[in-house]
Amino acid sequence: MRILDIQAIEDIAIGAAVMGTGGGGDPYVGKLMAIQAIEEFGPIKLLDADEIPEDALVVPTAMMGAPTVLVEKVPNGEEVIGSFDALKEYLGKKVFATMPIEAGGVNSMIPLALAARLGLPVIDSDGMGRAFPELQMVTFHLHNVSATPMMLSDEKGNSLLLNTINNVWTERLARNATVEMGGSVMLAIYPMSGRQVKESGIHGIITLTEKIGRAIREAKEHHQEPISTVLSVVGGFELFRGKVVSISRKTDGGFVRGESKFEGVEQYKGHTLTLNFQNENLVAQTETEILATAPDLIAVLDQETALPITTEGLRYGARGVVIGIPCNDQWRTAKGIATAGPRYFGYDLDYIPVEERIKRNGKGGRE
Amino acid sequence: MRILDIQAIEDIAIGAAVMGTGGGGDPYVGKLMAIQAIEEFGPIKLLDADEIPEDALVVPTAMMGAPTVLVEKVPNGEEVIGSFDALKEYLGKKVFATMPIEAGGVNSMIPLALAARLGLPVIDSDGMGRAFPELQMVTFHLHNVSATPMMLSDEKGNSLLLNTINNVWTERLARNATVEMGGSVMLAIYPMSGRQVKESGIHGIITLTEKIGRAIREAKEHHQEPISTVLSVVGGFELFRGKVVSISRKTDGGFVRGESKFEGVEQYKGHTLTLNFQNENLVAQTETEILATAPDLIAVLDQETALPITTEGLRYGARGVVIGIPCNDQWRTAKGIATAGPRYFGYDLDYIPVEERIKRNGKGGRE
């Protein structure tokens, strides 16, 4: 057990934007919620998964919706409490702790804001080790944990309790309701026993995102070259450096889909990189090579500061370094690849781990 | 209290098709469910509203969806029990009885099938005194009864529990989920106290639909002219007689919208009648006159048998008598007209009671 203070929240928010791989929503809004909650209610207890009793009830919390909308509709902390309390009451059991379903983006912060307000501990685990656009894209799902009973609520006071036959139906019905309710809602989802969290979670992930954020902050303070610092913390690879020459985005069916193009600089001069995204970056490719695909992480960092740039934050002419980070091994199983690999997202590509692609392509990718 | 046997169900189903005013789904499917349930579990107790204890819990049950889909997706009685039991459990109270929210169409039969299976009584009241296409179009709504907590479930095993800030949001979110779930679902909705049922219901409605059905059956047995028999039972008016010359239908957003045209015969020769519908018939007009509008009832009866013809059942060349029936007085209040009058459905027409229109138009409309 350790305590998360405001500096920790600041660092986690930066790290979470890296893990957000372009999507997941800008953690800034969530960070403000979490910091305000800590200032009002005191710091947050962070527990390791192995500190949870086997039969304790853990209820993850999250926001659902297209990041564009998340940015426009600033939530108040009460919303999270609404769906959380409603599910708790429905389950009729004491809740031991909350946790994120995704460590990337704004959903890294929602459980922290809730935990501070309710004086609940947060588990240092998630179900992605990154951000993903759909509710079944969690390692809990790979271990056959049901997303339901799940509570979904909007800021107007409408709420839905879902019980579904599988997690794909949960995604389908919840996505639909989210669009109808105005584009973003609060979730209490994947209620789990301590044992299930231990078996199916990705552990130490909040600590890792904090390390990333701290490394970026300290690199600036100590005038170090920040990109390589980040790469060494995450075990990632540089894929490309370039200037943004085009961005196209479309919010549609509760997702933001599109692509951004980078014109190479330095050793990448003469090449163009395209990033395809559905909320998160899914495929990074040049005119000749696939450099990385989901479920591996593809992030864009500011070349000077290594601060992550979300898809929403990309501006024409911005200079970015595109990096690839190997995903958690749970995503590299057959079910993991079927759930969140390139073919699920409609790309006719086999999943090849980013580190192998780097070797094959035989260039770029200095670690 | 009285007992409904299979003959009663047969008669109610016919009467419910008249009250369905073209929509509400063909009660035939529901009738089979109800008769099968009675054969398996015995007859059904029908209670008058004044036999309900003030504080008893009454949970109405219904099907939701476009009639076209209802016909294609034959339900099994278990579905109704699913959402009913789930809501009962959520409310944590003993349920005294069920009842229809609409006496017209298939929803006249769903509560009967449920009641027989569970050995529950049915209240001889509904919330429409007819059929209407949207969930807030009930006299319960006119008396500020909330549609939620409401349970919605599909035949696959998915279920939603809704809690909404008002009944228009209930309609919006439930309609949306219904479309996503395949076009028709089962509801347990408008949970009410005995007092609320007494205050807000339309009473004696199942008995009235049974009378209509019996009158049609007996007119045939005794070779009487059946149309005038029906008109006298319901206090209705003949609006038109003609042959179907065109029908256009579109299933869209969970509704069936369209219009049917009748070429006049006998004293209506040389005139054309148009019926506009959204599931139910909403406006009956000739090229020169409005004959009737919602919330009054507009039904089409077979000229020979007086058997009601639903919008789905209308065939080119069929000979029908179009009748108008004054709606319950609760619909003739300001809130009633705002909720289910012609302007709500997008017609730039004032609501004028059918009996007044008859006088003004000064023709047709023999009672």
Side-chain angles (χ1 to χ4, degrees):
Chain A
M1 198 277 285
R2 65 191 181 92
I3 296 296
L4 298 178
D5 58 12
I6 287 173
Q7 180 61 69
I9 301 299
E10 296 277 0
D11 290 339
I12 292 168
I14 300 293
V18 176
M19 299 301 237
T21 64
D26 187 331
Y28 182 75
V29 169
K31 184 182 86 173
L32 296 185
M33 285 170 65
I35 287 174
Q36 193 195 345
I38 287 181
E39 284 168 345
E40 279 181 53
F41 304 90
I44 300 160
K45 272 192 210 157
L46 185 72
L47 297 186
D48 288 341
D50 56 29
E51 297 177 78
I52 321 169
E54 291 286 300
D55 61 348
L57 174 62
V58 177
V59 176
T61 44
M63 215 173 181
M64 180 171 190
T68 35
V69 181
L70 297 191
V71 173
E72 290 153 16
K73 269 180 74 182
V74 178
N76 63 58
E78 294 308 318
E79 280 176 319
V80 209
I81 294 180
S83 44
F84 182 83
D85 281 350
L87 185 58
K88 189 176 71 182
E89 192 175 316
Y90 174 76
L91 294 169
K93 258 192 85 178
K94 189 176 174 309
V95 177
F96 175 79
T98 188
M99 64 185 278
I101 62 172
E102 60 182 338
V106 67
N107 276 333
S108 61
M109 289 292 148
I110 301 293
L112 298 176
L114 178 84
R117 284 181 173 271
L118 300 183
L120 270 183
V122 175
I123 309 301
D124 190 4
S125 306
D126 82 338
M128 297 186 192
R130 51 165 296 154
F132 268 132
E134 300 182 15
L135 293 179
Q136 77 282 7
M137 295 176 174
V138 286
T139 51
F140 316 138
H141 174 72
L142 304 183
H143 290 261
N144 304 312
V145 177
S146 172
T148 66
M150 151 186 167
M151 189 67 66
L152 182 155
S153 64
D154 68 18
E155 81 293 351
K156 295 177 281 297
N158 297 305
S159 77
L160 261 70
L161 174 74
L162 273 77
N163 277 291
T164 58
I165 48 173
N166 62 48
N167 297 334
V168 173
W169 268 104
T170 315
E171 162 64 24
R172 192 169 158 184
L173 294 174
R175 182 74 49 189
N176 205 262
T178 300
V179 172
E180 196 65 21
M181 286 169 142
S184 89
V185 298
M186 292 294 184
L187 309 180
I189 184 169
Y190 283 103
M192 274 180 284
S193 69
R195 190 179 43 71
Q196 286 175 307
V197 174
K198 292 173 200 180
E199 283 169 2
S200 69
I202 292 178
H203 305 304
I205 194 70
I206 294 177
T207 298
L208 176 60
T209 55
E210 185 182 5
K211 273 200 194 119
I212 298 167
R214 190 189 309 122
I216 291 172
R217 173 167 55 87
E218 292 179 345
K220 186 181 182 199
E221 290 166 4
H222 308 144
H223 309 287
Q224 295 157 344
E225 197 289 298
I227 302 290
S228 52
T229 316
V230 172
L231 289 175
S232 66
V233 173
V234 298
F237 306 89
E238 175 176 318
L239 301 177
F240 201 80
R241 291 178 174 239
K243 282 206 313 285
V244 178
V245 289
S246 81
I247 317 135
S248 64
R249 260 188 226 104
K250 186 152 167 282
T251 301
D252 154 35
F255 297 111
V256 183
R257 294 188 172 84
E259 61 168 46
S260 50
K261 286 187 185 294
F262 295 75
E263 195 178 80
V265 297
E266 299 170 31
Q267 75 267 40
Y268 306 95
K269 205 161 180 41
H271 297 281
T272 303
L273 179 96
T274 303
L275 292 182
N276 305 91
F277 53 84
Q278 175 183 330
N279 294 10
E280 284 70 44
N281 297 317
L282 298 176
V283 177
Q285 56 190 315
T286 62
E287 48 285 280
T288 54
E289 294 168 342
I290 306 296
L291 301 182
T293 73
D296 287 327
L297 290 70
I298 302 165
V300 181
L301 308 181
D302 176 277
Q303 189 169 334
E304 304 311 315
T305 62
L307 286 169
I309 310 175
T310 64
T311 303
E312 300 312 307
L314 278 181
R315 299 286 170 263
Y316 179 85
R319 272 187 164 236
V321 180
V322 180
I323 69 168
I325 307 173
C327 62
N328 183 280
D329 285 341
Q330 294 198 51
W331 289 119
R332 295 179 165 191
T333 60
K335 189 173 180 183
I337 293 165
T339 302
R343 292 189 193 283
Y344 178 88
F345 291 106
Y347 300 96
D348 186 21
L349 297 169
D350 292 324
Y351 169 68
I352 299 168
V354 58
E355 59 273 30
E356 280 183 40
R357 287 194 180 274
I358 296 282
K359 285 203 204 76
R360 293 187 187 193
N361 301 335
K363 73 162 115 81
R366 66 160 191 263
E367 185 164 0
Chain B
M1 195 278 284
R2 63 190 183 93
I3 296 296
L4 299 178
D5 58 12
I6 287 172
Q7 180 61 69
I9 301 300
E10 296 278 0
D11 291 339
I12 292 168
I14 300 294
V18 176
M19 298 301 236
T21 65
D26 187 331
Y28 182 74
V29 170
K31 186 182 84 172
L32 296 185
M33 285 170 64
I35 288 175
Q36 193 196 344
I38 287 181
E39 284 170 345
E40 277 181 54
F41 303 92
I44 299 159
K45 272 191 211 155
L46 186 71
L47 297 185
D48 289 342
D50 55 29
E51 298 177 79
I52 320 168
E54 291 285 300
D55 62 349
L57 174 63
V58 176
V59 176
T61 44
M63 214 171 181
M64 179 172 190
T68 35
V69 181
L70 297 192
V71 173
E72 290 153 17
K73 273 180 74 183
V74 178
N76 63 59
E78 293 308 316
E79 280 176 318
V80 208
I81 294 179
S83 44
F84 182 84
D85 281 351
L87 185 58
K88 189 176 72 181
E89 192 175 319
Y90 175 77
L91 295 169
K93 257 192 87 179
K94 187 176 174 313
V95 178
F96 176 78
T98 188
M99 64 185 278
I101 60 172
E102 61 182 339
V106 67
N107 277 333
S108 60
M109 289 291 148
I110 302 293
L112 297 178
L114 178 84
R117 285 180 173 272
L118 300 183
L120 270 183
V122 175
I123 309 302
D124 190 5
S125 307
D126 81 338
M128 298 186 192
R130 49 165 298 156
F132 269 134
E134 301 183 15
L135 293 179
Q136 76 284 6
M137 295 175 175
V138 285
T139 51
F140 318 138
H141 175 71
L142 304 182
H143 290 261
N144 305 310
V145 177
S146 172
T148 67
M150 154 188 162
M151 189 68 65
L152 183 157
S153 63
D154 68 18
E155 81 292 351
K156 294 176 281 300
N158 297 304
S159 78
L160 261 70
L161 174 75
L162 274 77
N163 277 290
T164 57
I165 49 172
N166 60 49
N167 297 336
V168 173
W169 269 104
T170 313
E171 162 63 25
R172 191 169 160 182
L173 295 174
R175 183 75 46 188
N176 205 263
T178 300
V179 172
E180 195 66 20
M181 287 168 143
S184 90
V185 298
M186 292 295 183
L187 309 180
I189 185 168
Y190 283 103
M192 274 180 283
S193 69
R195 192 180 41 70
Q196 286 176 306
V197 174
K198 291 172 200 182
E199 284 169 3
S200 68
I202 293 178
H203 307 304
I205 194 68
I206 293 177
T207 298
L208 175 60
T209 55
E210 184 181 3
K211 275 201 195 115
I212 299 167
R214 190 188 310 123
I216 292 173
R217 172 169 52 90
E218 292 179 345
K220 188 182 180 200
E221 290 166 4
H222 309 143
H223 309 290
Q224 294 156 344
E225 198 289 299
I227 303 289
S228 52
T229 317
V230 171
L231 290 175
S232 64
V233 173
V234 297
F237 305 89
E238 174 176 319
L239 301 177
F240 200 81
R241 291 180 175 236
K243 282 207 314 282
V244 177
V245 289
S246 79
I247 316 135
S248 63
R249 260 187 226 106
K250 185 153 169 281
T251 301
D252 153 36
F255 298 111
V256 183
R257 292 188 172 84
E259 61 170 44
S260 50
K261 287 187 184 297
F262 295 76
E263 195 177 81
V265 296
E266 300 168 32
Q267 73 266 43
Y268 306 94
K269 206 162 179 44
H271 296 282
T272 304
L273 179 96
T274 303
L275 293 181
N276 304 93
F277 53 82
Q278 176 182 330
N279 293 11
E280 284 71 42
N281 297 317
L282 300 175
V283 177
Q285 56 190 315
T286 62
E287 47 285 279
T288 54
E289 295 167 339
I290 306 296
L291 301 181
T293 72
D296 287 327
L297 290 70
I298 302 165
V300 180
L301 308 182
D302 177 276
Q303 189 169 333
E304 303 311 316
T305 62
L307 286 168
I309 309 175
T310 65
T311 303
E312 299 313 308
L314 278 182
R315 297 286 171 264
Y316 179 85
R319 270 183 167 239
V321 179
V322 180
I323 68 169
I325 306 172
C327 63
N328 183 279
D329 285 342
Q330 295 199 51
W331 289 119
R332 294 178 165 192
T333 60
K335 189 173 180 184
I337 293 165
T339 302
R343 291 189 194 284
Y344 178 88
F345 290 107
Y347 299 96
D348 186 21
L349 298 171
D350 292 324
Y351 169 66
I352 299 168
V354 60
E355 58 274 28
E356 280 183 40
R357 286 194 181 273
I358 296 281
K359 286 202 205 75
R360 292 188 187 194
N361 301 335
K363 72 163 116 82
R366 63 160 193 264
E367 186 165 358

